């Protein structure tokens, strides 16, 4: 990308700006890409006694094409999910010192910090943690929709409490919108329990939902 952009006569991109643009793209696609890379781990028990992929019921887990899909899922999850988060975590940890001495650092990681208050510079990394956990939820309990609802709701409510307590965005409107969106998504997820198939842990699910709300 950078090499190609250097060849454009009307636009010479420097490395820091290019890294920032790539980081912004990777950050925007984080939850989508992690959801895709974890699909090979979402094996659901079928009436035949075998397990198959939730998104591709014709593929039996542990057999045939699933082995290759599983290998690719592991590679891409580590390379993209773990790799990108590790870079973001490193940048968040060193930001207080680097931001005072390195203008290049601020340009390269602008995508991670520019939307938040200076004293809440770490919120971008916490958003990656939240989105990563939400992406992994379907792979954690593919046979139990109610357990997924509990996990989704728990993560979202923790995010809501953190959002209200820290108020990380630079302006009031963004903070309010973020809170409203989290409440709406949590409500939609919780209401979906009405149409979810019966859970083998129905009693546990009911107790958790009562405690959450």
């Amino acid at each position: 990308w950078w090499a190609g952009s250097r060849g454009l006569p009307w636009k010479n991109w420097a490395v820091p700006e290019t890294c920032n643009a790539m980081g912004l793209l990777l950050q925007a696609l984080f939850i989508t890409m992690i959801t895709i890379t974890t699909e090979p781990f979402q094996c659901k028990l079928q009436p035949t006694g075998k397990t198959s992929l939730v998104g591709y019921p014709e593929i039996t887990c542990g057999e045939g094409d699933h082995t290759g899909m599983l290998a690719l899922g592991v590679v891409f999850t580590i390379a993209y999910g773990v790799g990108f988060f590790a870079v973001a975590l490193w940048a968040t940890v060193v930001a207080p010192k680097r931001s005072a001495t390195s203008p290049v650092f601020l340009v390269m990681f602008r995508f991670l910090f520019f939307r938040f208050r200076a004293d809440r510079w770490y919120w971008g990394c916490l958003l990656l943690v939240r989105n990563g956990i939400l992406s992994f939820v379907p792979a954690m309990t593919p046979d139990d929709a109610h357990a997924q609802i509990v996990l989704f709701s728990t993560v979202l409510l923790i995010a809501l409490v953190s959002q209200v307590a820290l108020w990380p965005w630079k302006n009031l409107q963004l903070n309010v919108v973020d809170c409203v969106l989290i409440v709406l998504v949590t409500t939609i997820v919780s209401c979906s329990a009405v149409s979810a198939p019966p859970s083998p842990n129905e009693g546990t699910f009911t107790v958790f939902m009562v405690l959450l709300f």
Side-chain angles (χ1 to χ4, degrees), residues 10-197:
W10 66 90
K11 187 70 173 180
N12 286 329
W13 281 19
V15 174
E17 284 82 357
T18 303
C19 289
N20 174 64
M22 293 178 66
L24 186 62
L25 178 63
L26 293 175
Q27 186 183 45
L29 295 176
F30 190 76
I31 192 168
T32 301
M33 294 302 296
I34 295 301
T35 300
I36 294 173
T37 60
T38 56
E39 282 191 356
F41 304 100
Q42 300 176 29
C43 293
K44 186 175 183 179
L45 183 65
Q46 302 296 334
T48 59
K50 292 186 176 182
T51 56
S52 63
L53 293 180
V54 174
Y56 306 92
E58 69 277 8
I59 298 180
T60 302
C61 293
E63 300 179 6
D65 294 336
H66 182 250
T67 304
M69 293 177 64
L70 196 61
L72 287 175
V74 171
V75 171
F76 280 104
T77 299
I78 294 175
Y80 176 53
V82 178
F84 180 64
F85 176 73
V87 173
L89 180 61
W90 171 81
T92 301
V93 171
V94 303
K97 291 184 178 180
R98 288 293 186 94
S99 60
T101 59
S102 176
V104 173
F105 175 86
L106 289 176
V107 174
M108 290 181 65
F109 293 98
R110 183 174 182 272
F111 70 93
L112 198 59
F113 307 119
F114 80 99
R115 293 168 295 172
F116 311 112
R117 291 163 40 191
D119 58 339
R120 300 288 187 264
W121 82 95
Y122 49 79
W123 192 252
C125 193
L126 292 182
L127 285 182
L128 289 179
V129 173
R130 183 196 71 184
N131 293 341
I133 294 175
L134 290 176
S135 301
F136 273 102
V137 166
M140 294 177 186
T141 57
D143 289 315
D144 195 340
H146 288 83
Q148 292 182 27
I149 292 171
V150 169
L151 291 172
F152 267 114
S153 300
T154 302
V155 174
L156 290 173
L157 287 175
I158 292 174
L160 178 61
V161 172
S162 300
Q163 164 67 26
V164 173
L166 298 174
W167 218 239
W169 300 86
K170 281 186 175 179
N171 59 59
L172 175 65
Q173 291 81 1
L174 288 176
N175 283 293
V176 172
V177 169
D178 199 9
C179 289
V180 172
L181 288 177
I182 294 175
V183 170
L184 289 176
V185 173
T186 305
T187 303
I188 293 171
V189 169
S190 301
C191 291
S192 67
V194 176
S195 58

Side-chain angles (χ1 to χ4, degrees), residues 193-209:
V194 176
S195 58
S199 170
N201 303 303
E202 192 72 35
T204 304
F205 167 76
T206 303
V207 171
F208 268 108
M209 293 305 290

